[in-house]
Amino acid sequence: MSGGSLITLKEEDGGAAANNSMQHQSNTHQQQNVSANNGASAPTEGRQTSSSSSGAGSAPAEGSRQNSLQRIQQRKQKVFNLPVGQKLAKLSMYSACQSEGCRCTGWKTPQENRHRDVESLYCPEFNEECRNTSCRHSLQSHIAHLDGISGAEMNNLLGAIIDMENLFMSMQRVDDEDTKKVYLYLFRLLRQCVITRQQAVIRGPLGDPPFESPCIAKAVYSFVFYKYNHLSPYELQTMTEVAKTFLNFLNHYNFEPPSMRRADLKNDDASTYKINYTRWLVFCHVPAFCNSLRHFETSLVFGRTLLRTVFQYMAQQLKKKCISERDRFPADKRSIITQMPKFLEALKGELLKDDSPIWDQSYRPPTAFLLQQRKRQQDTAGTAAGIVGVTAPKKVGSGEPAHKRVKKEISERSCGETSYEDLSDETVIRAMKAVSESKAINKNEILFPVNVSRDENVKAEEQKRAIEFHVVGNSLTKAVDKQTILWLLGLQSVFSHQLPEMPREYISQLVFDTKHKTLALIKENMPIGGICFRPFASQGFTEIVFCAVTMSEQVKGYGTHLMNHLKDYSIQKGILHLLTYADCDAIGYFKKQGFSKDIKLARPVYAGYIKEYDGATLMHCELHPSIVNTQFISVIRRQSEILKELIAQRHNDVQKVRPGLTCFKEGLPSIPVESIPGLREIGWKPQMRAHRAGRPLEESSDPEKLAASFAAVLQSVRHHASAWPFLKPVTAAEVPDYYDHIKYPMDLKTMGERLKKGYYVTRRLFMADMARIFTNCRFYNSPETEYYRCANNLERYFQTKMRELGLWDK
């Protein structure tokens, strides 16, 4: 059994599984539970037991993994939304009795209520006595130390308790002893953190991430540059996406426990693998499902040692996954599937080489390449999401405090990215002040703002109380005031007129349904627009049913501001997903509001809940809990203004006019480059070049002797057997797209003409043009071509001839 991947979840309606002690949970949890599929993947939805797996580890199915994360967050959100009394009862079960001399470690539900769950409808009284015969103290005695606790801290403790319960159930089901010990250790750690009300910190002999340098992610991106930098931009982009797919697969790959790898590992390797497996469980796998623990990506904290151990089995699984998912992959991205086997074979070669440069800590691709790759990754984000189980699911953090959600602990610097220093607070404050002063001076910009947003005028009307936004709905349990009924009638009229294809009876049914609510836009005490929606708090999403603005008030930005208000309302209720079925006329509107046809929620989450419509398209919008959508555009505009001001200030610093150099008029033949005024201020740094023992001929006072040396080298290169592709310029007739890729062509004939005109006054000019010939060839042609081999052969010959004449650095 692949013990490392077995994380068991408590079913949301699982009865009294958490009412009492952990032992009681172990006995009663058989009613309903969720366990890992085949023992080799993330937790999946359903009532099934884990089965043995004798093969290699695998990446979990995307749907099952995301569904499991969704279920965990749904249960946490349900607990976070409980009344304070039920929350305290839940905490009391893991809190020691505060009565003097009592050694009870947690309040036990009285005998008559032992099968009732505080997460459901049971809320015990504070005077109910503990069932423990050695205690018999009230529930109040177990929560006395929680007086004055904040809501955020209470939710932190409740989240840790849920994680602890999931770990306990996993520990009962896993067969591998090594994995069971790790789960027990993490369980005790969380148990202690709940008692002490402190954040979980893992300390011990495992060490702290990262465990090896360079990390796998940095080495893989170095490998892409090292192996494929000569390719065309499109091919290089494809290989970058292949590398991203490989890293995503690695980050979600479930490693086998050491007991299953002993047969094919030596003693030393087996010992090392056991340590790395334990580290993976503690820092990568379990925290992916337990937000109370700090989470790290596998590719960012492990290096060559672990990858060597698991590469063979992981590569086999990835190849099978590519084959099985080929038909589901977008047609324009199937090149990723085609290139994956070649990529894996080439990476395997560099993995086995002891002297491969990609595993050298000092090896670093050029900054320009890293910036170019980052831009391509941003432009093509999510293109590798076609392979199920390869791309990381987005973790839902509904209800979790911001500092407790899963965070990326290793920065991009560990992957070889260029690091930039933050601007000082004084610089930013100065820029903000300059922007404010500029607005005060330029009154025309205030009266007629440039590129004003669609909802700017609507926000101004809202501030003046010319329009109002209200969430209204019908109720059967309490009296509904007359104003609300009038607004609901007005909204029913607006929806009926603007949605003529929708039956009026159906509109009335939903608008007045007690489970639906409507965000109403009120102007002069009359509804002029609204959004009818139904929240599914247990599922973590809101369904938008109707959205309309009366005809005379359209194209004024009301629709955008309505949707922004609904987003903020949903975030306040802890719901971070919006779903709707949009007809062909409404798709454009929803796209502008941040909706997409790419549904990131697992289908079991919404299937059977949301109403489906024939001929309509399901669209999804994911909300960020830290964004205030009604203020988002103005905040972005403010940031843009500050950024432009910072750029202008930097531009003024760089564009300062420096005094001219007069030293050459005074007879000085040369000066050091670094002495030029202003050069260092714009970021120039001297380049380190290798020291040469001999003085180069370029410094000779006889330019004719230097030109003769160049002519001799050029003549020898022309007569080499590999020089035939480079003797004359490439014509567009022979290669139509050559000059689309090569912006600075060069050939031996052009170099001869430049030599005759006296262009090569220094050795470096001559070497630069020759190097351009070979670089262009390798950039345009693939390594398997004859042209590529000719470039390599001729370059070695050229360097040899230059060394013979003392023109090459030793």
Side-chain angles (χ1 to χ4, degrees), residues 60 69 121 123 171 190 229 233 270 284 302 305 344 383 440 444 491 494 534 560 594 616 626 691 703:
L69 291 169
L121 302 176
C123 183
M171 186 170 57
L190 289 179
N229 188 40
C284 302
F302 291 98
T305 304
L344 293 174
T383 57
N444 290 332
L491 290 166
V494 170
R534 180 179 176 180
T560 298
S626 301
H691 177 72

Side-chain angles (χ1 to χ4, degrees), residues 39-50:
S41 67
T44 57
E45 185 176 12
R47 301 178 186 178
Q48 57 192 14
T49 56
S50 58

